[in-house]
Structure formats: C-alpha cells, structure tokens
Amino acid sequence: MANNSYSGVKNSTAMANHDGDFGCSLKDLRALMELRGAEAISKIGESYGDVQGLCTRLKTSPVDGLSGQPADIDKRKQVFGKNLIPPKKPKTFLQLVWEALQDVTLIILEVAAIVSLGLSFYKPPDAERKNCGKAAGGVEDEGEADAGWIEGAAILLSVVCVVLVTAFNDWSKEKQFRGLQSRIEQEQKFAVVRGGQVILIPVAEIVVGDVAQIKYGDLLPTDGVLIQGNDLKIDESSLTGESDHVKKTLDRDPMLLSGTHVMEGSGKMLVTAVGENSQTGIIFALLGASEEDDDDEDEKEAKKKEKKEKKSMLTFRSVLESSHDSYTVALHVTPLLHSAKAADGAAMEMQPLNSADSDEKKKSNLKEKKEKSVLQGKLTKLAVQIGKAGLVMSAITVIILVVLFVVDTFWVQDLPWDTECTPIYVQFFVKFFIIGVTVLVVAVPEGLPLAVTISLAYSVKKMMKDNNLVRHLDACETMGNATAICSDKTGTLTMNRMTVVQAYLADKHYRKVPEPELVPAAIMDILILGISINCAYTTKIMSPEKEGGLPRQVGNKTECALLGFANDLKRDYQAIRNEIPEEQLYKVYTFNSSRKSMSTVLKNPDGSFRMFSKGASEIILKKCCRLLTASGEAKVFRPRDRDDMVKKVIEPMASEGLRTICLAYRDFPVSEGEPDWDQENDILTSLTCVCVVGIEDPVRPEVPDAIKKCQRAGITVRMVTGDNINTARAIATKCGILQPGDDFLCIDGKEFNRRIRNEKGEIEQERIDKIWPKLRVLARSSPTDKHTLVKGIIDSTVLEQRQVVAVTGDGTNDGPALKKADVGFAMGIAGTDVAKEASDIILTDDNFSSIVKAVMWGRNVYDSISKFLQFQLTVNVVAVIVAFTGACITQDSPLKAVQMLWVNLIMDTFASLALATEPPTESLLLRKPYGRNKPLISRTMMKNILGHGVYQLVIIFTLLFVGERIFNIDSGRYAPLHSPPSEHYTIIFNTFVLMQLFNEINARKIHGERNVFDGIFNNLIFCSIVFSTFVIQVVIVQWGGKPFSCVGLTIDQWLWCTFLGFGSLLWGQLISSIPTSRLTFLKSAGHGTQRQEIPDEELEDMEDMEEIDHAERELRRGQILWFRGLNRIQTQMDVVNAFQSGSSFQERQLRRQPSTSSQQQHDVTNVSSPTHVAFSTTASAANIGEITTPSFAKLTFSS
C-alpha cells in the first residue's frame, strides 16, 4: 500500500498545486479511484470531508449538477480529459497496398514479368536465327522484336491494378466499420443532471464533475463516487472477476467504476474520472503499452523469458486487436477483461497438474464452444479445395509446355543447344512459366473472401436503414439460417406504450378509468401518494412533442401507465414529488426479476413508517391481509376472498391481454420500534390492498403480419415473457403465434421447470426435447428459464435439422440468453446496456418486423455468395481448361497473361461487387431455412455451372480450331515468339469475355428460376458494372494493341462475338428446362465441417480460442500436413546421412528432439524451406471482416 501513503503525503499540498482552479488535481482523483471500501471512505473523509466536500472542490452541486456552460465544460475537458479512449490507428492505404502485395501468386507473376522484361532487351550478337529452331523464326521481319518488353510491362501494370483494387476494397471496408463504430458510440447516451434538469447526453460528452443518474441495467461509462443510492448492487466481475454483486452504499463502499454493470437499484454519482484516466482507460493504456514494448524487445529473448506471463497478455492483445469488432470502449472492455481473466485462470489451472480430471474438464469446455460463422467455414474449405486443383493444373500446364518445346526443338528438329540461342530458349521458358502462373491466378478464387466481405458490408449498411444495427458481422448471415425466434412480449410484439384501462378499487370493478368524484377521498390520497413516490423518480410523463399528440412516456413504461392513471384522476404527481424529494425517501426496495415488486418506505413526522408496494397482482395479493373498502376502512382479506378476486377480477382482465398490477401499503407504528429493513420477508407481509389496475399494452399493428411471414418462411416464433399466463396467451393469440386448432403448449415457468427436471432437480435434455417442439408460450419465466430453453433448443438433436435460434431481449436479465443464442437481438430504445453488450444485432426501433427484415438480409447474403460462386466457378472451369488444353495442343495459351488478368478482374472484383449487392426480395421468405449443414453449391447450381461450362468450351474450341475458316482470317495458332497479335485470338478473347458478361446475368438466379431479368433495374450497381465492363472491353479490343495482344475487330466480327455471348442466355433457358432430379450424377459441394468431424486432439488445440473458427481449422490442417511432410523429409535425410557418416542415428534424433517439440508448440517464427511459413500467435483472424484469403500458397496461419 505504498501507493496510499504516497498519495496521502501528496494531498497535504493538494490545495496548493491543483490543476486550473479546481480544488483537486487529476492525480489526486486518480489516486482516489484506486481505493476501495473503507479505505476510500477514510480517504474522502481526510481530504474532502465528505462527498459534498468533493463536489464543492469540483465546483458542482449534488442536486443541480453542473451549470452546463460551454466554457466550463471545455475547461473540464482540458483539465481532466475527455471521456474517449483513442482507438487503434487504422492501417494507412500504403500499408494495405503492401499487404495486398504479399499474395504469393502475385509475387510469382511479378518475378516472371521482370525476367521477361529483362530478356526482351537482350539482343544476341548476329546469331543466325534459323539455328534456334522454328518457333524463334519470323520475328525480325515485322520489326516486332522491339515491342517484346510490352508483355512484361503489361503484366506488371495489371498486377498494380489488382493490388490497388484490393487495397482500396480493404480501405473502404475499414472506413465503413469505423463509421459504424462511431455511429454506435454516438447512439449511446447517459442521463446527467445539468442546471437542475435531467438530460440525456452522448457518453463522450460526460465530464468530471457531472452528476450522473444511474439505474438498473446501466453500464457505467465513467468512474465516480456515489452521492445517493437506493438498494444499489453492481456487478464488478468485468474488473475483479468476482461474480457476486457488490452492494454500494455511502457508508460502506461508494466507489463506482467504469465498465461495471448496475444489476439492481438506482442512484446518483459524481463523475471523478473519464476516458483514459478511468479504470477502463488505465487498463487499455497498459495493454497498449505492453504491445509497443513487445515490438521493441528482441523477440526471441522475450519469448523465452516471458512465455509464462505472456499467456494472459495474449488474450488481452488478441481481443484488443479485434477491438474494432465490438464498438464502444464501455461495450468492449467487459468481455475483454473477462476473457483475459479467464485465460489467466485457465493458464494457471492447467500448468500444475495434468490429471484425468482436468482433461475431462477441458473436454466439456471445448464441447460448449460457440461455432464461428458457418458460411466462412464452408467458403474457406471450398477455396482451399479449388486452390489445390488450380495448383495441380498450372504445374501440369508448365510441364507439358516445356516438354513439348524441348522435344520439338532438340529431338524432332534435331538442333544442338547453341549458347547464343540460350536467351531465346530462356524467353520461351519464361513465357511458359507466365502461362502456368496465369492459369493459377485464374483458378484461385481470391474473389471469394472479397465477395463475402462486400456482401456483408453492403448488407450491414443497408440493414441500418431497416433499423438493424449489426455488431458482429457473421450474425447477419447466421440470421438467414434461423429456424426459431424466442421473442420477448413487452415492447417487441407490443407497442410498449402502457395505459391503465380497468381498475378495481373501493370494492368495485371499473371497466374504464373511473371519474375522480367516484373515488372516496381517503382512498384517493393513499393511491396518489403511493403512485407518486413508489415509481422511480426518473419515470415521468412529459408533454407531447407535437400538438395533439400523445403525452411522451419517459422511463419505465409500466410506471408511466400508473402516473398516467394519476393524471386521469386529475391529480398532479409532480407536486407530491417536489414536496418529498428523492433524498427524503427512507428506504427503497427496487424492482428486480426475483422480487417482481417495488417498495418505498417513508418516515412520518411522529417516527412511524409507511411503506408503499406495487407489483404483479398474484404476488402482492398473497401478501395482503386487508383490503380498503368504499368507506376508506380496511377490512380483513382472507385467502377465500383472494381466490374470489382472482376469478372475478384478475382472470377476466388477463384474458383480455391486460397486465394486472396491485398497489398496497403497510404502516409500522412507533410502538413496534424500527423494523430490521434487511429482513425483506418480514417487511413485505400483512399489506393492505388499495387497488388492482389492468394495464393495456396494445399489439404493434405490423406484428401479426410479420409473424405470418416468419411461419411461412419456416421459422417458429415462441413468446417468452414475465407476464402471467392468461395475459400471455391472449397476446399470443392476437399476434398469431397461437392459431386456433393448433396442437401447442402454453405453460408457465413453474410448470416448465417441473417438466424438464428429474427427481434430483437436474435438467435433462431428453425432457426438454419432449417440450420445446410444441412450446409456443412460456409465461412468468425467469431469466434462467429463458436461457435453459434457448440452450435446450440449440443442443437438441431430435429433428433432422439442427436448430439455429435467435433471441430478443431488453433487460439485464436477458444477457445470458442473448449470449447463448446464435443471434441475439437487443432493443435499442428499451434495452439496457448490458443487453446491448451481450447482443449481436441491436434493433433501433424495438420492432419485431425488423427481425423479419434481418432474416431477409441474412438469406440474401447467403444467396449473393451462391450467385457469385456459380458465376466464378463457371469462369474458373472454362478458363483453366482453355488455357490448359490450348497450351498442350498449340503450345501457347489462347488467352494471354494480361487478358487472363483482365478476366480475373471482371470475375473477382467486379462480379463480386455486382452480384453481392443484389437487394433482397420478399420471395426469399417463401422457402425454408437452409440450416447449418446445407452445402454452398446446390445440385441446381452444379447443373448450371457444368451446363454453361460445356456451352462456353464448345464455342471457344470451335473458334480456336476452325475459327480462321469461319471468319476467313489468318490463323493465330503456332505463332512464333513476339509475333504481333492476331485477329483470330482477339475474337476468341472477345467472345470469352462477352460470354462471361451475359452469364453474369444468368448467375442472378440460383434456384432454377426462368426470368433472369427479374428486378434487374432495382440494382443500379449491377447494371452499371455490366455496362462499364462492356465499354472497357470495347476499348481494350479496339485500342488495346500489343499490351493486351488485341487487334481491332470489324462490326461484323463484333456482332458475331456478341451473338455468341448472348447465346449464354438462350442456353440458360435450355438448362433450366432440365429437371435437376433427373441428373443423378450431380453432386453438391461446399459442405460445412460438422462438429462431430473435428477430432478430439484438434479440439484440444483450440482450447485458446473463444469459438471454433472453421476457416482457421482448414488452414491449420494444411499446416499440420506441412509439418508432417517436413518431418518425414528430415528423418529420411538423417537416415541417409547416418549411413554415409556412420554416426549413430539415435544421436541425431535426440539432437533433433527439441526442435520438433518447439515446432509442435507453434512457436516457429520461420522455417527455411521451399515456402516461407510464418506463424502468428494472435488471433488476428478475429478482426472484423478480415477474411483470411486461403490462396494455395499463402501459408500464413494464425495459430
């Protein structure tokens, strides 16, 4: 505690050296916030007298807050800092260009192009050309040799284009996410008192000295000291790791820390530290510093020394690096600290003993991992497979070209190898190599990750307009697969605009709000006093925004209904609140999910106490033993009377869909002395019932239609609510969740628990499986019930299709269920910060029909990717086969390197833009969800790919081998090196590109629809891309000349090319006429990896990861095979060496041991071997939207 004594000494001079003219410095406040509990209280007492004294030093008032003068606010920002934690610097455009250049295929192309450039300038000294064979002849005649450099230069130029496009895409993606992030930050507001008024300001605007109002469900944006609190409990697990809620009171522990959650109660706090000086900010600064130190240190040294300490830091850092995935610091720091803590714990637990017990534990932990994006897993797997095939094809192409050339020159023509001819031969080999690399470039679908990113980013942007704020990218795509939605009732299905419509008071059931004169004065006074003070003071009814509009409800909507009821009775609740300010309330029991009631205690002038209670009618009535009658007297209220009341009053109200609330009070006379307020059960009994009200929350008009759409789309909607079962059933029927004549279950939490638990009280999956398929309404449910239900549905294997569950929630208590769900929706308006942080998507308008939009967008993402795949694979197959066969038969690829790169640009970048930005249509909701195991390429798509592939290959080969006769032009086959471009090959290139353009229109439909033009003009991006590609193609062909190996074509030839391209559309109609079911040989491709397929040892390797990332798994498997290969080669080398030198083989094996084990620990930084392999230890792939491009040779694995 040296720290404390130091700050104590320091403080004696605090008055002298404070900042600005505030009574305490930034340093003093930071030192104060590091203390907890009794220490903190004594420190405040010593230095400031009390919290009041601290307020005075900070020139603020605990009642009225700051004045709110701009000059004062700016000064505070200068002295004490802003409430912002600066984000990590974005990558510059040049860094992104450098990253794009790391692609191995591009590097190979660059090298080849440079060699080709170099050789083209080499002139052999008057070598007799004929000595060098036929292929080299016929060059000088047209004076074309000088133009030999153009091909190399053109390849370099096109590489530059590809790199710039990739870098620009990455850059705009990053920019979008930063924009999204700042939008989320701006949307987060907090209530502070300024100039005596409670106002909502953006979190970033809070300054030191502000008085903030905190309530249940808030995530504290700054550090502060409690000024006044009611029953305040805070979850500090994000900072301390302790899961127990900490009770905050002025006399025990008044210190409130940023990044912690308010789990119960309400209060006011004085802000003492913001931004980088708050506890959250300090931790972030530490993380940032450790990151920089690490870079400076000599890495290997550091690795040996810090291996142990680093384990926890790594988790910190990897989360930090991905921190533009979660947005605001407040939203982000909690899981960050939590996971770091957990990782730390895990590391400590696992090192000492590796017993069977801990193994068991490990396994059970691993099994519960949340699986990462299904789509990305499928895509990576597919891309790796295609890449391998491309690699094989390109290698074979090069080998065949080289062999044919060598055989033809040195054997058929029987020429000797002449040194003077060497450069010419080398030029041939370089040309062959370039052709091989080009085949590879076309084969590797690097556009796949791009398409996913563009599609997701585009969808996320558009979903903003549909009131869906997506926090985690893959949630958008998962939503398309959703099979079940568990929705809250209040605010999601209903309007969350509560009004009292019926009341039972003074022995009479009023079907509408009674006139004030009908209510006895004695009852009226108690009723209005109870409503005014036993509703949170933050809840109020404001005047309408527009003339003639409805009054605005601020705060808890149920309480608003009661305050509205007081207004309807022509009484002013605000006058009573002014008379009895919040500070005078003696004790407040705030509402929480276990109490389901709220009570406030007043101390009367004579020393007696009166407590007002309100809550769910069945709960409060059980605690009542008296009832106020018309005369204002209290009569005895027996269990028999209660049952009577339930039947005659409460059930009829509930069956009309009303929420029933009971209002009661209790007096504690002076003679009994002051009760023990902590014994809640003794306090909350023998109440006197004042009245029961029926509160209506009308169903949102658009909900029944939205639910119908869900049911048609194969999604089951279930309602999980805290309301009683009759109300829930009535509302569910109004919404259309319950259809008359359906076989459904509608049960409450108690019954649900009875059915799912065995004799020992343990939950059994088999029992849940019997219930959930028919369950439609779960009433009076606790947060645990909601979590149990969601987990039960997700883990269930009863149905053939695994369930994908979406959950909506707004309360702090919904956090666990939102986290467990595949997609968690939090309410943007009514939702607490805790719910928002646990969610994947925030509904900015709290409306159920926005969820249906999310389903539509999710399915659209899936379809966009499939459209792109269908298009891309057709081009891939055709281009690879053409280059391969052409090269083998004519010793030259009909499509030149630069042309291939242009085709690659159309295919990858432009097509992914055009097809990934198709807007969704309502028809997406007419089919069942895909589910987790659906392959990416359906059999219908496979039919389209093969069908169009056949058409294009037939056309191209016809043109290649008989084109010169058809068009009556010179043949371009067997052209010597550096010969000018031919019309023949230009026609082939042009037809090929035009076929792709028309096929792009075909690719818009993937479910076998006939009308491929349907809705084409709704997508301007698509139309403009197709049109501009066509224009650029015309320019390339007519004026591209030597760099693009093109010659200008005549109008006739252009018309023929266009006609052959247009043929794709007609052929497409023919293909869609063939029923897929007849073609039994078709297979689907692109399946996801099933959880069951992952071997245990791989699961163990994944213990560091938060979730199973299928993309990572594919790459990791490659890495394991790579090492096995290396190991085998090394062993064989050792054997050979051992035999040669006679030294003992074992010795070498022993010497090799450490290196092998270190390899297995994934600490390899560099393995000098044919391909450079780098391992990075941080999970950088978690970076949002950063999609690891699995091009065959990019072996940079994240371990």
Side-chain angles (χ1 to χ4, degrees), residues 564-584:
F565 181 48
N567 286 350
D568 292 343
L569 292 171
K570 310 280 186 286
R571 290 299 190 90
D572 181 13
Y573 69 88
Q574 197 53 51
I576 297 176
R577 286 184 170 184
N578 295 343
E579 208 177 297
I580 309 173
E582 198 169 3
E583 289 75 35
Q584 281 182 29

Side-chain angles (χ1 to χ4, degrees), residues 725-784:
I725 191 147
N726 297 332
T727 311
R729 190 184 277 120
I731 299 270
T733 312
K734 281 183 191 168
C735 294
I737 293 176
L738 300 179
Q739 306 282 345
D742 270 4
D743 177 20
F744 57 76
L745 264 181
C746 184
I747 56 178
D748 61 9
K750 222 183 223 158
E751 174 66 9
F752 175 69
N753 274 304
R754 195 183 60 70
R755 292 196 190 187
I756 62 169
R757 292 176 190 276
N758 59 18
E759 298 72 45
K760 294 181 190 161
E762 294 160 349
I763 298 171
E764 288 185 356
Q765 183 66 41
E766 299 81 66
R767 288 172 183 248
I768 299 182
D769 289 345
K770 285 186 187 136
I771 298 179
W772 75 257
K774 286 186 179 177
L775 182 71
R776 291 293 175 275
V777 175
L778 181 57
R780 278 278 174 256
S781 66
S782 69
T784 340

Side-chain angles (χ1 to χ4, degrees), residues 494-657:
T494 58
M495 286 165 84
N496 204 7
R497 193 187 163 80
M498 310 262 193
T499 37
V500 172
V501 289
Q502 295 187 19
Y504 177 87
L505 77 164
D507 278 344
K508 196 160 176 210
H509 186 174
Y510 295 94
R511 291 278 167 188
K512 59 184 204 298
V513 177
E515 290 301 314
E517 48 274 15
L518 296 176
V519 183
I523 293 185
M524 179 71 102
D525 291 342
I526 288 183
L527 178 64
I528 301 300
L529 179 63
I531 289 177
S532 307
I533 68 158
N534 193 28
C535 286
Y537 277 41
T538 46
T539 303
K540 30 184 176 300
I541 304 265
M542 315 275 277
S543 49
E545 278 172 347
K546 297 193 190 84
E547 279 292 310
L550 291 166
R552 276 185 304 151
Q553 298 188 336
V554 181
N556 181 307
K557 299 297 191 255
T558 312
E559 294 185 336
C560 286
L562 294 171
L563 295 176
F565 181 48
N567 286 350
D568 292 343
L569 292 171
K570 310 280 186 286
R571 290 299 190 90
D572 181 13
Y573 69 88
Q574 197 53 51
I576 297 176
R577 286 184 170 184
N578 295 343
E579 208 177 297
I580 309 173
E582 198 169 3
E583 289 75 35
Q584 281 182 29
L585 303 179
Y586 193 78
K587 170 93 181 135
V588 179
Y589 297 96
T590 49
F591 181 89
N592 65 26
S593 53
S594 54
R595 260 185 215 138
K596 290 214 186 292
S597 68
M598 172 177 176
S599 310
T600 303
V601 182
L602 279 185
K603 188 170 186 177
N604 299 327
D606 63 357
S608 63
F609 298 95
R610 173 170 278 184
M611 176 180 76
F612 292 97
S613 291
K614 69 168 193 297
S617 53
E618 56 262 53
I619 289 171
I620 296 283
L621 280 178
K622 277 187 189 145
K623 297 175 176 173
C624 288
C625 61
R626 280 186 289 285
L627 173 72
L628 281 188
T629 58
S631 62
E633 296 295 313
K635 71 167 185 187
V636 179
F637 185 63
R638 287 185 289 273
R640 192 175 62 238
D641 305 328
R642 183 169 60 235
D643 298 341
D644 240 19
M645 190 159 168
V646 168
K647 274 202 189 68
K648 291 189 179 147
V649 179
I650 291 172
E651 282 181 2
M653 281 186 185
S655 62
E656 290 173 41

Side-chain angles (χ1 to χ4, degrees), residues 650-668:
I650 291 172
E651 282 181 2
M653 281 186 185
S655 62
E656 290 173 41
L658 303 186
R659 167 183 277 193
T660 55
I661 299 285
C662 177
L663 303 167
Y665 75 98
R666 176 182 177 184
D667 284 324
F668 297 94

